[in-house]
Amino acid sequence: MPNAKTLLTGRLAGSAMELRDFRYLWAGQAVSAVGDQLFNVAVSLRVIECGGDAGDVGLVIGARMLATVLFVLIGGVWADRVPRRRAMMLADGFRLVAIAVVVLGAFDTATLSLAVTTFLVGSGEAFFRPAYGGLVPSLVPEDRLLSANVWRGGMESAAAVVGPALGGVLVATVGTRVAFAANAATFAISLLCVLAVTEPPMRRQVSRSSMVQEIREGLAAVRRVRWTAAILTMTAVQTMLVVAPHMVLLPVITQERFAGPSAYGLVIAMFSLSGFIGTIVVGRIRLKHPGTSAMIFNALFTLVPLVLLTPFSLWWVVAGYMIAGFAMMPFNTLLHTALQRQFPPSLLGRISSVDWLCSLALLPLGLAVIGPLADAVGRTTVLVAAAVVQLGAALLVLAVPGVRDFHQEEHEEQPVLGDVEV
Protein backbone atom coordinates (compact mmCIF):
# COMPACT_ATOMS: atom_id res chain seq x y z
CA MET A 1 0.00 0.00 0.00
CA PRO A 2 1.43 3.45 -0.90
CA ASN A 3 2.48 5.67 1.95
CA ALA A 4 1.06 9.12 2.68
CA LYS A 5 3.89 10.93 0.90
CA THR A 6 3.35 8.97 -2.29
CA LEU A 7 -0.39 9.53 -2.15
CA LEU A 8 0.01 13.25 -1.63
CA THR A 9 2.47 13.76 -4.47
CA GLY A 10 0.97 11.38 -6.99
CA ARG A 11 -1.79 12.00 -9.48
CA LEU A 12 -5.39 11.61 -8.40
CA ALA A 13 -6.59 8.00 -8.51
CA GLY A 14 -10.08 9.22 -9.27
CA SER A 15 -12.52 11.95 -8.44
CA ALA A 16 -14.08 12.08 -5.01
CA MET A 17 -17.29 13.05 -6.83
CA GLU A 18 -17.62 9.44 -7.94
CA LEU A 19 -18.52 8.60 -4.33
CA ARG A 20 -22.20 8.96 -3.44
CA ASP A 21 -21.77 10.12 0.16
CA PHE A 22 -19.19 12.74 -0.75
CA ARG A 23 -21.46 14.06 -3.52
CA TYR A 24 -24.26 14.63 -1.02
CA LEU A 25 -21.91 16.21 1.50
CA TRP A 26 -20.35 18.49 -1.13
CA ALA A 27 -23.71 19.53 -2.56
CA GLY A 28 -25.00 20.56 0.85
CA GLN A 29 -21.86 22.53 1.57
CA ALA A 30 -21.92 24.22 -1.82
CA VAL A 31 -25.38 25.58 -1.07
CA SER A 32 -24.46 26.44 2.52
CA ALA A 33 -21.26 28.26 1.44
CA VAL A 34 -23.30 30.51 -0.85
CA GLY A 35 -25.68 31.09 2.06
CA ASP A 36 -22.80 32.10 4.34
CA GLN A 37 -21.70 34.78 1.89
CA LEU A 38 -25.29 35.88 1.36
CA PHE A 39 -25.77 36.17 5.13
CA ASN A 40 -22.85 38.58 5.48
CA VAL A 41 -24.38 40.88 2.87
CA ALA A 42 -27.90 40.65 4.30
CA VAL A 43 -26.95 41.25 7.93
CA SER A 44 -24.66 44.17 7.04
CA LEU A 45 -27.33 45.89 4.99
CA ARG A 46 -29.97 45.18 7.63
CA VAL A 47 -27.84 46.97 10.24
CA ILE A 48 -27.69 50.00 7.93
CA GLU A 49 -31.47 49.84 7.37
CA CYS A 50 -31.93 49.93 11.14
CA GLY A 51 -29.92 53.15 11.32
CA GLY A 52 -26.56 51.66 12.23
CA ASP A 53 -23.17 52.88 11.04
CA ALA A 54 -19.92 51.20 10.06
CA GLY A 55 -19.07 50.55 13.70
CA ASP A 56 -22.37 48.74 14.18
CA VAL A 57 -21.71 46.63 11.09
CA GLY A 58 -18.32 45.71 12.51
CA LEU A 59 -19.90 44.77 15.85
CA VAL A 60 -22.45 42.49 14.20
CA ILE A 61 -20.01 40.78 11.83
CA GLY A 62 -17.38 40.52 14.59
CA ALA A 63 -19.84 38.69 16.85
CA ARG A 64 -19.83 35.75 14.44
CA MET A 65 -16.04 35.61 14.42
CA LEU A 66 -15.91 35.91 18.22
CA ALA A 67 -18.26 32.96 18.69
CA THR A 68 -16.21 30.81 16.33
CA VAL A 69 -12.98 31.59 18.18
CA LEU A 70 -14.57 30.93 21.58
CA PHE A 71 -16.17 27.60 20.76
CA VAL A 72 -14.19 25.98 17.94
CA LEU A 73 -11.89 23.97 20.23
CA ILE A 74 -14.93 22.67 22.10
CA GLY A 75 -16.47 21.87 18.72
CA GLY A 76 -13.37 19.85 17.88
CA VAL A 77 -13.70 17.77 21.04
CA TRP A 78 -17.38 17.22 20.36
CA ALA A 79 -16.61 16.11 16.79
CA ASP A 80 -14.24 13.45 18.16
CA ARG A 81 -16.73 12.26 20.79
CA VAL A 82 -19.90 11.77 18.74
CA PRO A 83 -20.66 10.72 15.15
CA ARG A 84 -19.63 13.69 13.02
CA ARG A 85 -22.70 13.46 10.83
CA ARG A 86 -24.85 13.96 13.92
CA ALA A 87 -22.78 16.94 15.07
CA MET A 88 -23.16 18.57 11.65
CA MET A 89 -26.92 18.04 11.56
CA LEU A 90 -27.33 19.58 15.01
CA ALA A 91 -25.18 22.56 14.01
CA ASP A 92 -27.18 23.13 10.84
CA GLY A 93 -30.46 22.83 12.73
CA PHE A 94 -29.25 25.29 15.38
CA ARG A 95 -28.27 27.88 12.77
CA LEU A 96 -31.50 27.36 10.87
CA VAL A 97 -33.53 28.14 13.99
CA ALA A 98 -31.40 31.21 14.79
CA ILE A 99 -32.01 32.71 11.34
CA ALA A 100 -35.69 31.70 11.35
CA VAL A 101 -36.24 33.61 14.60
CA VAL A 102 -34.98 36.75 12.90
CA VAL A 103 -37.13 36.24 9.82
CA LEU A 104 -40.32 35.35 11.68
CA GLY A 105 -40.22 37.24 14.94
CA ALA A 106 -37.32 39.61 15.48
CA PHE A 107 -36.74 41.23 12.11
CA ASP A 108 -37.38 44.78 13.28
CA THR A 109 -35.03 44.59 16.25
CA ALA A 110 -31.96 46.70 16.91
CA THR A 111 -28.29 46.12 16.16
CA LEU A 112 -27.68 44.28 19.44
CA SER A 113 -30.24 41.61 18.54
CA LEU A 114 -28.64 41.13 15.14
CA ALA A 115 -25.27 40.78 16.86
CA VAL A 116 -26.76 38.05 19.06
CA THR A 117 -28.01 36.29 15.93
CA THR A 118 -24.62 36.39 14.25
CA PHE A 119 -23.05 35.15 17.49
CA LEU A 120 -25.40 32.15 17.44
CA VAL A 121 -24.63 31.49 13.77
CA GLY A 122 -20.90 31.60 14.54
CA SER A 123 -21.41 29.21 17.46
CA GLY A 124 -23.04 26.69 15.14
CA GLU A 125 -20.21 27.12 12.67
CA ALA A 126 -17.68 26.39 15.43
CA PHE A 127 -19.24 22.95 15.89
CA PHE A 128 -19.91 22.25 12.21
CA ARG A 129 -16.45 22.88 10.71
CA PRO A 130 -14.40 20.47 12.87
CA ALA A 131 -16.98 17.74 12.28
CA TYR A 132 -16.82 18.36 8.53
CA GLY A 133 -13.02 18.24 8.58
CA GLY A 134 -13.13 14.90 10.37
CA LEU A 135 -15.96 13.37 8.32
CA VAL A 136 -14.43 13.77 4.85
CA PRO A 137 -11.54 11.32 5.41
CA SER A 138 -14.01 8.68 6.61
CA LEU A 139 -16.03 9.00 3.39
CA VAL A 140 -13.16 9.30 0.90
CA PRO A 141 -10.29 6.81 0.34
CA GLU A 142 -6.86 8.20 1.10
CA ASP A 143 -5.86 8.37 -2.56
CA ARG A 144 -8.85 10.63 -3.29
CA LEU A 145 -8.48 13.07 -0.40
CA LEU A 146 -6.72 15.63 -2.58
CA SER A 147 -9.61 15.43 -5.03
CA ALA A 148 -12.09 15.95 -2.18
CA ASN A 149 -10.23 19.04 -0.97
CA VAL A 150 -9.94 20.39 -4.50
CA TRP A 151 -13.72 20.16 -4.81
CA ARG A 152 -14.08 21.81 -1.40
CA GLY A 153 -11.71 24.65 -2.24
CA GLY A 154 -13.28 25.24 -5.63
CA MET A 155 -16.72 25.35 -4.06
CA GLU A 156 -15.65 27.89 -1.42
CA SER A 157 -14.01 30.13 -4.04
CA ALA A 158 -17.05 29.99 -6.29
CA ALA A 159 -19.33 30.77 -3.35
CA ALA A 160 -17.24 33.84 -2.55
CA VAL A 161 -18.15 35.16 -6.01
CA VAL A 162 -21.76 34.00 -6.26
CA GLY A 163 -22.89 34.57 -2.65
CA PRO A 164 -22.30 38.34 -2.34
CA ALA A 165 -23.72 38.93 -5.82
CA LEU A 166 -26.84 36.92 -4.99
CA GLY A 167 -27.19 38.70 -1.66
CA GLY A 168 -26.99 42.09 -3.34
CA VAL A 169 -29.60 41.13 -5.93
CA LEU A 170 -32.00 39.72 -3.33
CA VAL A 171 -31.70 42.75 -1.06
CA ALA A 172 -32.15 45.14 -3.98
CA THR A 173 -35.17 43.36 -5.44
CA VAL A 174 -37.10 41.71 -2.59
CA GLY A 175 -35.50 43.04 0.60
CA THR A 176 -33.35 41.83 3.45
CA ARG A 177 -36.08 39.70 5.06
CA VAL A 178 -36.24 37.47 1.98
CA ALA A 179 -32.44 37.35 1.87
CA PHE A 180 -32.42 36.07 5.47
CA ALA A 181 -35.09 33.52 4.55
CA ALA A 182 -32.96 32.33 1.63
CA ASN A 183 -30.02 31.91 3.99
CA ALA A 184 -32.17 29.86 6.37
CA ALA A 185 -33.18 27.66 3.42
CA THR A 186 -29.51 26.94 2.66
CA PHE A 187 -29.07 25.52 6.17
CA ALA A 188 -32.14 23.34 5.65
CA ILE A 189 -30.72 22.03 2.36
CA SER A 190 -27.36 21.36 4.00
CA LEU A 191 -29.08 19.47 6.82
CA LEU A 192 -31.00 17.28 4.35
CA CYS A 193 -27.84 16.53 2.37
CA VAL A 194 -25.95 15.53 5.53
CA LEU A 195 -28.93 13.36 6.49
CA ALA A 196 -28.46 11.48 3.21
CA VAL A 197 -24.83 10.69 4.04
CA THR A 198 -23.95 7.31 5.54
CA GLU A 199 -21.09 7.73 8.00
CA PRO A 200 -18.95 4.58 8.41
CA PRO A 201 -18.70 3.29 11.99
CA MET A 202 -15.43 4.05 13.73
CA ARG A 203 -13.86 3.55 17.12
CA ARG A 204 -14.23 6.67 19.25
CA GLN A 205 -12.63 7.66 22.50
CA VAL A 206 -14.79 7.15 25.56
CA SER A 207 -15.15 10.48 27.39
CA ARG A 208 -13.31 9.55 30.56
CA SER A 209 -11.33 12.79 30.67
CA SER A 210 -12.51 16.35 30.87
CA MET A 211 -13.12 18.49 27.83
CA VAL A 212 -10.15 20.64 28.82
CA GLN A 213 -7.91 17.57 28.86
CA GLU A 214 -9.13 16.49 25.44
CA ILE A 215 -8.44 19.97 24.07
CA ARG A 216 -4.93 19.69 25.50
CA GLU A 217 -4.50 16.32 23.81
CA GLY A 218 -5.38 17.88 20.45
CA LEU A 219 -2.97 20.75 20.97
CA ALA A 220 -0.25 18.34 22.09
CA ALA A 221 -0.73 16.25 18.94
CA VAL A 222 -0.21 19.35 16.81
CA ARG A 223 2.94 20.29 18.74
CA ARG A 224 4.44 16.81 18.33
CA VAL A 225 4.27 17.04 14.54
CA ARG A 226 6.77 19.81 13.96
CA TRP A 227 5.72 20.77 10.45
CA THR A 228 2.10 21.14 11.55
CA ALA A 229 2.99 23.33 14.53
CA ALA A 230 5.19 25.52 12.32
CA ILE A 231 2.61 25.95 9.55
CA LEU A 232 -0.28 26.74 11.88
CA THR A 233 1.83 29.23 13.84
CA MET A 234 2.82 30.88 10.56
CA THR A 235 -0.84 31.04 9.55
CA ALA A 236 -1.83 32.78 12.78
CA VAL A 237 0.92 35.39 12.44
CA GLN A 238 0.18 36.06 8.77
CA THR A 239 -3.52 36.40 9.52
CA MET A 240 -2.91 39.17 12.05
CA LEU A 241 -0.11 41.03 10.26
CA VAL A 242 -0.96 40.51 6.58
CA VAL A 243 -4.60 39.50 6.13
CA ALA A 244 -5.89 42.11 8.58
CA PRO A 245 -4.09 45.01 6.81
CA HIS A 246 -5.49 43.80 3.50
CA MET A 247 -9.04 43.68 4.91
CA VAL A 248 -8.76 47.14 6.45
CA LEU A 249 -6.81 49.00 3.76
CA LEU A 250 -8.15 47.51 0.51
CA PRO A 251 -11.60 49.18 0.77
CA VAL A 252 -10.00 52.44 1.86
CA ILE A 253 -7.45 52.51 -0.97
CA THR A 254 -9.92 51.49 -3.68
CA GLN A 255 -12.34 54.18 -2.49
CA GLU A 256 -9.65 56.86 -2.51
CA ARG A 257 -7.86 55.91 -5.73
CA PHE A 258 -10.59 54.37 -7.86
CA ALA A 259 -13.70 56.17 -6.58
CA GLY A 260 -16.29 53.66 -5.62
CA PRO A 261 -17.24 50.36 -3.99
CA SER A 262 -17.48 48.72 -7.43
CA ALA A 263 -13.66 48.71 -7.62
CA TYR A 264 -13.45 46.95 -4.26
CA GLY A 265 -16.04 44.41 -5.37
CA LEU A 266 -14.15 43.75 -8.60
CA VAL A 267 -10.86 43.09 -6.77
CA ILE A 268 -12.47 40.66 -4.33
CA ALA A 269 -14.44 38.89 -7.06
CA MET A 270 -11.35 38.38 -9.21
CA PHE A 271 -9.36 37.17 -6.19
CA SER A 272 -12.01 34.52 -5.52
CA LEU A 273 -12.36 33.57 -9.19
CA SER A 274 -8.62 33.07 -9.58
CA GLY A 275 -8.67 31.01 -6.37
CA PHE A 276 -11.23 28.72 -8.01
CA ILE A 277 -8.96 28.29 -11.03
CA GLY A 278 -5.88 27.69 -8.88
CA THR A 279 -7.68 24.99 -6.90
CA ILE A 280 -8.63 23.11 -10.06
CA VAL A 281 -5.08 23.36 -11.41
CA VAL A 282 -3.41 22.02 -8.26
CA GLY A 283 -5.63 18.95 -8.41
CA ARG A 284 -4.36 18.11 -11.89
CA ILE A 285 -0.59 18.40 -11.53
CA ARG A 286 2.04 16.22 -9.91
CA LEU A 287 3.92 17.88 -7.05
CA LYS A 288 7.20 16.20 -6.11
CA HIS A 289 7.41 18.11 -2.82
CA PRO A 290 3.91 19.36 -1.94
CA GLY A 291 5.06 21.29 1.12
CA THR A 292 7.64 23.24 -0.83
CA SER A 293 5.07 23.99 -3.52
CA ALA A 294 2.56 25.07 -0.88
CA MET A 295 5.02 27.48 0.70
CA ILE A 296 5.81 29.02 -2.71
CA PHE A 297 2.07 29.51 -3.15
CA ASN A 298 1.89 31.06 0.31
CA ALA A 299 4.77 33.42 -0.46
CA LEU A 300 2.94 34.75 -3.53
CA PHE A 301 0.38 36.40 -1.23
CA THR A 302 3.16 38.95 -0.69
CA LEU A 303 1.82 40.57 -3.87
CA VAL A 304 -1.24 41.80 -1.96
CA PRO A 305 0.54 44.30 0.31
CA LEU A 306 2.89 45.20 -2.56
CA VAL A 307 0.12 46.20 -4.98
CA LEU A 308 -1.66 48.11 -2.21
CA LEU A 309 1.63 49.89 -1.60
CA THR A 310 1.82 50.84 -5.30
CA PRO A 311 -1.79 51.18 -6.57
CA PHE A 312 -0.77 52.53 -10.00
CA SER A 313 -4.08 51.49 -11.55
CA LEU A 314 -7.11 49.38 -10.76
CA TRP A 315 -5.99 46.64 -13.13
CA TRP A 316 -2.56 46.56 -11.48
CA VAL A 317 -4.26 45.87 -8.14
CA VAL A 318 -6.60 43.32 -9.74
CA ALA A 319 -3.65 41.48 -11.33
CA GLY A 320 -1.80 41.25 -8.00
CA TYR A 321 -4.87 39.95 -6.22
CA MET A 322 -5.55 37.42 -8.97
CA ILE A 323 -2.05 35.94 -8.68
CA ALA A 324 -2.39 35.86 -4.88
CA GLY A 325 -5.81 34.20 -5.08
CA PHE A 326 -4.56 31.67 -7.63
CA ALA A 327 -1.82 30.70 -5.16
CA MET A 328 -3.54 30.77 -1.76
CA MET A 329 -6.37 28.35 -2.47
CA PRO A 330 -3.92 25.61 -3.58
CA PHE A 331 -1.96 26.27 -0.39
CA ASN A 332 -5.11 25.67 1.67
CA THR A 333 -6.04 22.58 -0.36
CA LEU A 334 -2.62 20.96 0.06
CA LEU A 335 -2.56 21.79 3.78
CA HIS A 336 -6.01 20.34 4.49
CA THR A 337 -5.12 17.15 2.61
CA ALA A 338 -1.84 16.75 4.50
CA LEU A 339 -3.48 17.27 7.90
CA GLN A 340 -6.11 14.64 7.12
CA ARG A 341 -3.38 12.15 6.21
CA GLN A 342 -0.97 12.96 9.04
CA PHE A 343 -3.28 12.38 12.00
CA PRO A 344 -5.42 9.40 13.07
CA PRO A 345 -9.21 9.60 12.58
CA SER A 346 -9.83 9.87 16.34
CA LEU A 347 -8.05 13.23 16.42
CA LEU A 348 -9.23 14.84 13.20
CA GLY A 349 -12.04 16.86 14.79
CA ARG A 350 -9.61 18.49 17.20
CA ILE A 351 -6.93 18.97 14.53
CA SER A 352 -9.47 20.70 12.28
CA SER A 353 -10.52 22.93 15.15
CA VAL A 354 -6.93 23.98 15.89
CA ASP A 355 -6.37 24.69 12.20
CA TRP A 356 -9.51 26.84 12.08
CA LEU A 357 -8.62 28.62 15.32
CA CYS A 358 -5.16 29.55 14.01
CA SER A 359 -6.81 30.99 10.92
CA LEU A 360 -9.11 33.22 12.97
CA ALA A 361 -7.94 33.84 16.53
CA LEU A 362 -5.60 36.78 15.90
CA LEU A 363 -7.66 38.35 13.12
CA PRO A 364 -9.89 40.44 15.44
CA LEU A 365 -6.77 41.82 17.14
CA GLY A 366 -5.24 42.65 13.79
CA LEU A 367 -8.42 44.35 12.58
CA ALA A 368 -8.57 46.40 15.77
CA VAL A 369 -4.99 47.70 15.67
CA ILE A 370 -4.25 48.11 11.95
CA GLY A 371 -6.29 51.29 11.51
CA PRO A 372 -4.74 53.17 14.44
CA LEU A 373 -1.31 51.77 13.57
CA ALA A 374 -1.58 52.97 9.97
CA ASP A 375 -2.55 56.42 11.26
CA ALA A 376 0.40 56.45 13.65
CA VAL A 377 3.22 55.15 11.44
CA GLY A 378 1.71 55.44 7.96
CA ARG A 379 0.22 52.94 5.52
CA THR A 380 3.54 52.50 3.78
CA THR A 381 5.20 51.17 6.92
CA VAL A 382 2.29 48.82 7.65
CA LEU A 383 2.25 47.43 4.11
CA VAL A 384 6.03 47.00 3.89
CA ALA A 385 5.96 45.16 7.21
CA ALA A 386 3.12 42.96 5.93
CA ALA A 387 5.10 42.05 2.80
CA VAL A 388 8.20 41.21 4.87
CA VAL A 389 6.17 39.06 7.29
CA GLN A 390 4.39 37.14 4.51
CA LEU A 391 7.52 36.37 2.50
CA GLY A 392 9.85 35.93 5.46
CA ALA A 393 7.54 33.56 7.34
CA ALA A 394 7.03 31.36 4.26
CA LEU A 395 10.80 31.06 3.72
CA LEU A 396 11.63 30.47 7.39
CA VAL A 397 9.08 27.71 7.79
CA LEU A 398 10.68 25.77 4.92
CA ALA A 399 13.61 25.07 7.25
CA VAL A 400 11.41 23.09 9.66
CA PRO A 401 11.71 19.28 9.27
CA GLY A 402 8.69 17.78 7.52
CA VAL A 403 7.49 20.97 5.84
CA ARG A 404 9.07 20.10 2.50
CA ASP A 405 6.71 17.14 2.06
CA PHE A 406 3.97 18.09 4.56
CA HIS A 407 4.61 14.78 6.26
CA GLN A 408 6.36 13.39 9.32
CA GLU A 409 7.13 9.68 9.21
CA GLU A 410 7.41 9.15 12.95
CA HIS A 411 5.38 10.88 15.65
CA GLU A 412 4.27 9.84 19.08
CA GLU A 413 0.82 8.31 19.05
CA GLN A 414 -1.90 9.97 21.05
CA PRO A 415 -2.69 7.89 24.16
CA VAL A 416 -6.13 6.32 23.96
CA LEU A 417 -8.17 6.48 27.14
CA GLY A 418 -10.71 3.95 26.00
CA ASP A 419 -12.53 2.96 22.83
CA VAL A 420 -16.07 2.04 21.96
CA GLU A 421 -17.61 0.98 18.68
CA VAL A 422 -20.19 3.52 17.46
Side-chain angles (χ1 to χ4, degrees), residues 31-32 35 96 99-100 178-192:
V31 174
S32 182
L96 171 60
I99 300 297
V178 176
F180 274 110
N183 178 233
T186 66
F187 287 126
I189 293 171
S190 174
L191 194 157
L192 291 174

Side-chain angles (χ1 to χ4, degrees), residues 34-368:
V34 172
D36 286 341
Q37 298 291 333
L38 187 158
F39 175 78
N40 287 335
V41 173
V43 76
S44 298
L45 294 179
R46 183 57 191 162
V47 171
I48 301 299
E49 289 175 355
C50 292
D53 56 17
D56 294 322
V57 173
L59 171 66
V60 170
I61 297 298
R64 180 178 183 177
M65 189 182 303
L66 174 63
T68 304
V69 170
L70 288 177
F71 297 124
V72 71
L73 291 180
I74 298 174
V77 171
W78 184 248
D80 287 339
R81 284 185 174 187
V82 304
R84 285 153 184 161
R85 173 175 168 271
R86 183 192 306 169
M88 294 166 66
M89 291 172 61
L90 290 172
D92 271 339
F94 180 80
R95 291 182 289 178
L96 171 60
V97 170
I99 300 297
V101 168
V102 173
V103 175
L104 299 176
F107 187 71
D108 296 321
T109 55
T111 297
L112 182 59
S113 296
L114 291 172
V116 171
T117 300
T118 58
F119 185 87
L120 294 176
V121 170
S123 300
E125 187 174 17
F127 284 82
F128 187 95
R129 283 186 176 270
Y132 177 88
L135 179 61
V136 170
S138 70
L139 302 179
V140 178
E142 201 170 359
D143 60 356
R144 299 194 188 191
L145 275 178
L146 180 57
S147 171
N149 288 308
V150 164
W151 280 101
R152 174 187 180 180
M155 167 260 291
E156 291 176 348
S157 294
V161 177
V162 175
L166 178 61
V169 169
L170 286 176
V171 171
T173 55
V174 292
T176 48
R177 185 190 293 270
V178 176
F180 274 110
N183 178 233
T186 66
F187 287 126
I189 293 171
S190 174
L191 194 157
L192 291 174
C193 287
V194 174
L195 183 63
V197 171
T198 301
E199 180 179 3
M202 62 172 289
R203 300 187 68 83
R204 297 186 184 279
Q205 181 176 297
V206 174
S207 301
R208 295 177 184 171
S209 58
S210 69
M211 185 162 290
V212 171
Q213 179 60 32
E214 290 183 49
I215 290 174
R216 288 175 177 170
E217 290 169 1
L219 295 172
V222 169
R223 287 196 303 271
R224 281 197 300 270
V225 180
R226 288 177 289 179
W227 75 261
T228 303
I231 292 292
L232 296 188
T233 300
M234 179 200 72
T235 300
V237 172
Q238 290 177 338
T239 297
M240 182 175 69
L241 298 179
V242 185
V243 175
H246 134 74
M247 294 178 67
V248 171
L249 296 178
L250 175 63
V252 175
I253 291 173
T254 52
Q255 178 66 35
E256 291 177 353
R257 298 295 297 267
F258 311 119
S262 59
Y264 172 75
L266 175 64
V267 172
I268 293 300
M270 297 307 291
F271 176 84
S272 299
L273 179 60
S274 65
F276 174 81
I277 297 170
T279 304
I280 301 303
V281 170
V282 80
R284 296 179 177 275
I285 59 177
R286 181 184 179 88
L287 299 174
K288 184 176 181 180
H289 299 291
T292 301
S293 300
M295 297 318 300
I296 293 172
F297 292 141
N298 181 276
L300 285 174
F301 196 80
T302 307
L303 289 173
V304 165
L306 290 181
V307 297
L308 292 180
L309 188 64
T310 58
F312 301 125
S313 71
L314 176 58
W315 293 110
W316 169 260
V317 176
V318 167
Y321 268 80
M322 287 188 69
I323 296 172
F326 183 88
M328 283 307 293
M329 287 309 299
F331 167 78
N332 292 333
T333 298
L334 292 171
L335 176 59
H336 291 152
T337 304
L339 290 174
Q340 290 165 348
R341 287 174 171 153
Q342 180 69 71
F343 294 95
S346 61
L347 279 172
L348 283 179
R350 280 167 282 179
I351 299 302
S352 296
S353 70
V354 175
D355 177 25
W356 189 237
L357 180 67
C358 289
S359 300
L360 279 183
L362 296 181
L363 183 57
L365 177 60
L367 293 174

